[in-house]
Amino acid sequence: MTAPADARLAGPMLPVMGGKIVLTALREGDIDRVLEACTTEQARRWLETPWPYAPADAEGFVREFAPAGWRGEHEERVWAIRESLRGPLAGVIGLRTLEGEVGFWLHPAAQGRGLMADALRTVVGHAEGCLTWPEVHWSCYDGNLGSMRVAKAAGFTYLGAREGTQRGEPRLQHRAVRVSSGMPAGARPWPTLD
């Protein structure tokens, strides 16, 4: 069954304002932008999304997965990243409460303008101020220099790399943390991000 274009989806009640971005609930009209972003080669390489990514995956993410998190049916809260309250979807950022971890992606048309670093600082501030998280964790697969630059720009402290898996295959993952006060144990210098 297809939802009407103006259907309200469960999500945050109020937008969260950043310096360059606004975090809102996902909307029915965001499905095409989710599909565009998650069918790129970057998405295949760096995200945990299904591959190949189909229109039904984008519809399920916007209509079912994201609203279910806001209703408390699973542990991830997902925001849409926009440049204005009514603007198109620039990307997505989510907090996973069990791991205290953040995950994010940007639509290709929104990359390279500092939007994700602002979104990450904004959602970390929300986690620290509204959710009272003492720390927020981040990770990415080896080679994802864009994600590493964003985490570094948002004030995360690098912790090193460890073996992980992506779609059942072993992959090296870089890890970092942002703590609300002090310096975390195990801090290391960020690798060269050129």
Side-chain angles (χ1 to χ4, degrees):
M1 177 201 288
T2 302
D6 62 350
R8 281 193 57 92
L9 302 173
M13 297 301 292
L14 297 172
V16 179
M17 308 300 285
K20 295 181 176 184
I21 56 86
V22 180
L23 303 178
T24 72
L26 282 163
R27 302 173 186 149
E28 183 73 17
D30 295 332
I31 291 172
D32 288 343
R33 294 278 285 188
V34 170
L35 183 62
E36 290 169 6
C38 293
T39 54
T40 64
E41 178 59 21
Q42 285 181 319
R44 183 193 68 76
R45 290 179 68 197
W46 308 129
L47 301 181
E48 295 285 345
T49 54
W51 192 262
Y53 197 83
D57 295 315
E59 292 166 4
F61 179 74
V62 171
R63 293 178 182 156
E64 297 166 22
F65 180 81
W70 288 102
R71 290 191 302 263
E73 296 170 15
H74 61 75
E75 53 93 26
E76 187 166 356
R77 306 298 180 269
V78 176
W79 285 267
I81 301 167
R82 303 180 196 284
E83 291 184 77
S84 64
L85 194 56
R86 302 209 185 286
L89 180 75
V92 167
I93 191 163
L95 289 173
R96 298 175 193 109
T97 55
L98 291 180
E99 297 94 359
E101 186 175 34
V102 65
F104 50 80
W105 56 257
L106 273 181
H107 188 279
Q111 294 176 4
R113 298 198 310 269
L115 301 179
M116 187 53 76
D118 186 47
L120 184 54
R121 283 188 294 270
T122 301
V123 85
V124 166
H126 178 77
E128 291 173 351
C130 298
L131 305 176
T132 65
W133 286 15
E135 56 189 41
V136 178
H137 297 267
W138 161 93
S139 66
C140 79
Y141 294 113
D142 191 44
N144 191 346
L145 297 179
S147 186
M148 294 176 80
R149 286 183 194 110
V150 165
K152 183 178 180 182
F156 278 68
T157 301
Y158 186 68
L159 299 177
R162 67 175 177 207
E163 286 297 322
T165 59
Q166 181 189 32
R167 299 185 194 97
E169 298 294 321
R171 295 277 309 267
L172 188 66
Q173 285 185 304
H174 295 275
R175 302 175 304 117
V177 66
R178 169 82 183 263
V179 296
S180 56
S181 63
M183 179 62 73
R188 297 180 176 184
W190 279 92
T192 302
L193 302 177
D194 298 331

